[in-house]
Each structure stands twice: as C-alpha cells, then as structure tokens.
Amino acid sequence: MKKTPLYAFGKVAAQPVVWPFIPYTVKGRENIPQDENFILCANHMGISDPLRLASIEKRQIYFMSKAELFQNKALAWLLLSLGCVPVQRGRGDMGAIDHAGEVLKRGDILGVFIEGTRSKTGELGQPKAGAVMLAYQHKKPILPVCLTPVGSRLPRMFHRVVVSYGSLIQPEELGIQEGKGSEYRNASRLVMSKIAALRERDLKEMEA
C-alpha cells in the first residue's frame, strides 16, 4: 500500500541518519514477508526502536502507540500523520483494536510492541494479548522480532542494537480455537517465547 506522505518523506530524509547515529545489525532479514501483510511483534527497549524497525522495512509500518502521547496536539498530529494507532493501555481498547483491524484489512503492516511499554530493566516483560487477538480475528501471521542492545541490557539512544527477525507464526499455530481469554494469554506467551529464543541466541553469540 502507498505510504502516508509524512512517513514517505521521513523514510527518505531520516534514512541516512538512522544507521550512523542509531546503529543496528539485522539478522533474519529473509524472514520478512515480501508479498503479504502481517503483524510485526517486537519487544520494546527504547524510543528509537520504531526508527530502526521502520528503516529496515521497505513498506510502512503502522505502529500501535500509547494514547498518552496523543495528548499534546502537535505530537498527536505528527504521530497520526505517521500512521500511528493510539491505544489506551490496560483497559481493552476496542476502538484501537478496530482501528488496527482496518490497517490489516487494507493490506498494511501493523507494528505492536507486545509488552505494551518499554522495559525499564532491560528484561523481557509480560506480553499483552492484543497482537494475537488481531492475528486470530483477521487470520494474519505474526512476525516475532527481538531487539537486543550490544554490550548492555539497557540501551541508550545511540547504542548499537541487534534486530533479529524470527520465522513467521501462522494464525493456526497460536492454538486459539474459541477466542477465549486463556487462549489469548497462552498465544501471547508463545509469541514472547519466540522473541526470548532470539534474544538468548543473540546474547550467546555476543558472549562468544
């Protein structure tokens, strides 16, 4: 699908800046689908995470973002112009779920930070169920992604990060049959386990 104008401009303008000043290494790039849309599901380490992910993916990623960021009118305009989807955390925001569903229906990529917030400790947090709910409802695969800072569990803005893409998780692999809360929780833990496996592998390679 066509990018929003500001996203398209930012992609061109920011691309030369992102890698030199917000460096990253990519693993598993071949796992990124080229001919279908999906839900990109990543852990969240820092405010520069969306910049790295957007610079790697050729198509636009419509990120779900916490509603508090939209309280400032200027920032709200910027985020909406970049295609961000506001979501009220911790209260089952069905409006946000519907909005995110529209992103998937029109064939775009939805970006979800599965923990719902940035990690303050550097450890992986508890996964939220929104991503797997959308995958089940719209029959879309999930692409697990792990961001791991090099040399520290707590990244600074300009810290080098390893961005690892895992294998696609198809909707039927989530084990959701009836759309029950327990099924969503188990499915979200499955996705997080895939992200954790990527992190464990990358940390071992760094130590080696």
Side-chain angles (χ1 to χ4, degrees), residues 1-5 7-8 34-37 57-62 102-109:
M1 296 293 288
K2 188 177 180 179
K3 299 181 180 72
T4 59
Y7 192 100
Q34 301 301 311
D35 55 358
E36 65 176 319
N37 70 321
E57 173 56 51
K58 295 179 180 179
R59 293 172 286 174
Q60 179 165 356
I61 303 172
Y62 290 78
E102 291 300 318
V103 171
L104 295 172
K105 286 178 183 177
R106 66 176 184 249
D108 286 318
I109 299 171

Side-chain angles (χ1 to χ4, degrees), residues 71-202:
Q71 293 175 356
N72 179 284
K73 290 185 178 180
L75 183 56
W77 175 86
L78 176 64
L79 293 173
L80 292 171
S81 297
L82 291 171
C84 294
V85 180
V87 58
Q88 295 282 351
R89 296 180 298 175
R91 58 178 64 183
D93 189 345
M94 297 311 298
I97 293 294
D98 291 342
H99 189 166
E102 291 300 318
V103 171
L104 295 172
K105 286 178 183 177
R106 66 176 184 249
D108 286 318
I109 299 171
L110 181 69
V112 179
F113 291 109
I114 191 170
E115 298 148 299
T117 187
R118 283 179 284 164
S119 172
K120 295 180 179 180
T121 64
E123 301 294 336
L124 298 178
Q126 291 296 320
K128 306 300 182 184
V132 297
M133 180 186 298
L134 287 161
Y136 168 69
Q137 291 176 350
H138 297 279
K139 302 297 184 282
K140 297 294 182 180
I142 289 176
L143 180 65
V145 184
C146 185
L147 297 103
T148 304
V150 178
S152 171
R153 288 186 178 272
L154 287 172
R156 298 180 181 90
M157 180 73 173
F158 306 114
H159 213 108
R160 177 173 293 278
V161 168
V162 175
V163 184
S164 290
Y165 293 81
S167 300
L168 273 185
I169 305 171
Q170 297 299 331
E172 56 271 18
E173 297 179 69
L174 295 173
I176 303 172
Q177 301 295 328
E178 302 177 19
K180 295 180 179 179
S182 59
E183 293 178 330
Y184 289 142
R185 288 190 292 273
N186 289 335
S188 64
R189 285 193 284 266
L190 170 66
V191 175
M192 183 56 90
S193 73
K194 301 293 185 181
I195 295 173
L198 292 170
R199 165 160 288 202
E200 182 178 359
R201 182 203 65 188
D202 291 341

Side-chain angles (χ1 to χ4, degrees), residues 34-55:
Q34 301 301 311
D35 55 358
E36 65 176 319
N37 70 321
F38 53 90
I39 301 170
L40 185 153
C41 207
N43 64 308
H44 199 6
M45 302 294 297
I47 60 174
S48 55
D49 294 343
L51 292 174
R52 291 185 174 90
L53 295 170
S55 69

